[in-house]
Amino acid sequence: MDVVKADNLNPDYKGLVDRISNRYVEGQVKAIRSVNESLIETNWNIGKYIVEYEQEGSQRAKYGLNLLENLSRDLTLLHGKGFSRSNLNYMRLIYLRYPICETLSHKLSWSHICELLKIDDDLERSFYYQQSILENWSVRELRRQKDSGLFMRLALSKDKEEILKLSQHGQIIERPEDVVKDFYVLEFLKIPEPCNYSETELETRLIDNLQKFLLELGKGFTFVGRQYRVTINNIHYRVDLVFYHRILRCFVLIELKINEVKHDDIGQMNMYMGYFAKEENYEGDNPPVGIILSKGKDELLVEYATYGMSSQLFVSKYQLYLPNKEELRELISRQLEADEI
């Protein structure tokens, strides 16, 4: 029996196939969402039963120390998988940390929730909860952003009010400052330290890991090109990496430096930004953003070298390893406490 290719189908019949296919996919998505909602609600209620049992009083104290272990054994005998001690602990935690079940988003899976429940700090957990929804992170992406200390890195340059806002609403992008981090984590490049590498090698590795680099850059970035040619007075220059930001509606130019940034690097980036503003922007585009991504920077040199220049030119650092999250937490805690004085 011959199989008719979709391209050769009668248009009316092809329309029928498309409608059925679309409805089938929609139905699958709804079914998965419904199962997920039911699973989270069920696990929340199980957590509620456990906590209420624990709070009943001294007559149940003999079960207290080994309650989850006993429950895991007995429920596994009754129902099979799904009642490990670890999973029961997450069920307990979801009730303690989200006492109103209706506040839990249906956009997050139980696996997302488990990753969030591992975070002890309420502000940090709230940020990752909101950001997972805003950027539709997979569980793997959520785990990576947690490991890279994204919340703390974004909070470093903010005061208490801004940190609380970041925690409650996630990263809301309204200005160029909202898309630029003080330092970027490029551990996914797997370049060991100490190691000698060139700017070309760094750029090539970033392109080879473009999906992970886009995750590190954040929401709204689309890749335009590498070694983007800029011609001024018949002299050719090249911008290392060019992106377009869909939310800010502007080009984002990135120059990579494997050493400490110098004043002429800043002047060159300012020239690139001027060129893009005059020659590359279309009607409706906003002024370009420039980011010099360097291994190190002298804050005073950057301050003087950027004096009077565009406020949309940023110098940020990168590191090739995951940050020490405990040190970052201490910095944020001191920052919050300082604002209260």
Side-chain angles (χ1 to χ4, degrees), residues 299-318:
E299 298 285 355
L300 194 58
L301 182 145
V302 171
E303 179 184 343
Y304 290 157
T306 57
Y307 179 77
M309 283 187 178
S310 168
S311 60
Q312 298 193 171
L313 193 161
F314 302 90
V315 179
S316 298
K317 294 169 63 177
Y318 69 86

Side-chain angles (χ1 to χ4, degrees), residues 15-29:
L16 174 62
V17 171
D18 290 342
R19 287 197 300 275
I20 292 173
S21 178
N22 291 337
R23 176 61 66 179
Y24 178 73
V25 171
E26 289 173 8
Q28 284 185 314
V29 171

Side-chain angles (χ1 to χ4, degrees), residues 228 230-232 251 273-282:
Y228 196 99
V230 169
T231 303
I232 303 173
F251 285 104
M273 292 169 67
Y275 176 89
F276 268 77
K278 296 289 186 182
E279 305 295 339
E280 297 286 348
N281 272 14
Y282 287 98

Side-chain angles (χ1 to χ4, degrees), residues 113-248:
I113 297 295
C114 289
E115 284 298 321
L116 293 166
L117 292 173
K118 295 175 185 177
I119 305 172
D120 293 326
D121 183 80
D122 292 338
L123 293 180
E124 192 177 343
R125 187 185 330 107
S126 176
F127 165 78
Y128 288 113
Y129 179 93
Q130 298 296 339
Q131 205 67 19
S132 294
I133 297 169
L134 283 174
E135 299 202 29
N136 194 30
W137 283 341
S138 67
V139 175
R140 180 179 293 180
E141 289 168 342
L142 168 60
R143 192 177 295 124
R144 190 266 165 185
Q145 298 292 36
K146 280 174 48 193
D147 290 343
S148 72
L150 177 62
F151 170 68
M152 275 108 38
R153 289 189 286 137
L154 292 174
L156 278 176
S157 60
K158 300 181 183 297
D159 59 25
K160 181 179 179 180
E161 183 179 344
E162 290 175 318
I163 292 173
L164 293 175
K165 183 178 178 182
L166 183 67
S167 171
Q168 293 162 0
H169 304 289
Q171 186 185 22
I172 306 301
I173 298 172
E174 299 173 333
R175 308 164 300 166
E177 294 90 333
D178 297 328
V179 302
V180 180
K181 302 180 180 73
D182 282 350
F183 73 93
Y184 291 78
V185 177
L186 309 179
E187 93 293 345
F188 53 84
L189 300 183
K190 302 189 185 316
I191 300 176
E193 286 200 317
C195 177
N196 293 322
Y197 56 94
S198 66
E199 288 171 1
T200 300
E201 182 182 356
L202 178 62
E203 178 187 316
T204 299
R205 288 198 180 216
L206 285 172
I207 295 300
D208 290 343
N209 293 272
L210 186 58
Q211 186 175 0
K212 293 178 180 177
F213 187 41
L214 286 169
L215 178 63
E216 173 63 9
L217 289 175
K219 184 178 181 181
F221 283 86
T222 56
F223 180 63
V224 175
R226 65 183 293 193
Q227 292 300 305
Y228 196 99
R229 193 168 76 175
V230 169
T231 303
I232 303 173
N233 290 335
N234 281 331
I235 299 176
H236 301 312
Y237 305 89
R238 295 187 182 275
V239 185
D240 288 340
L241 300 170
V242 177
F243 296 84
Y244 189 84
H245 201 279
R246 294 180 292 104
I247 300 172
L248 296 177

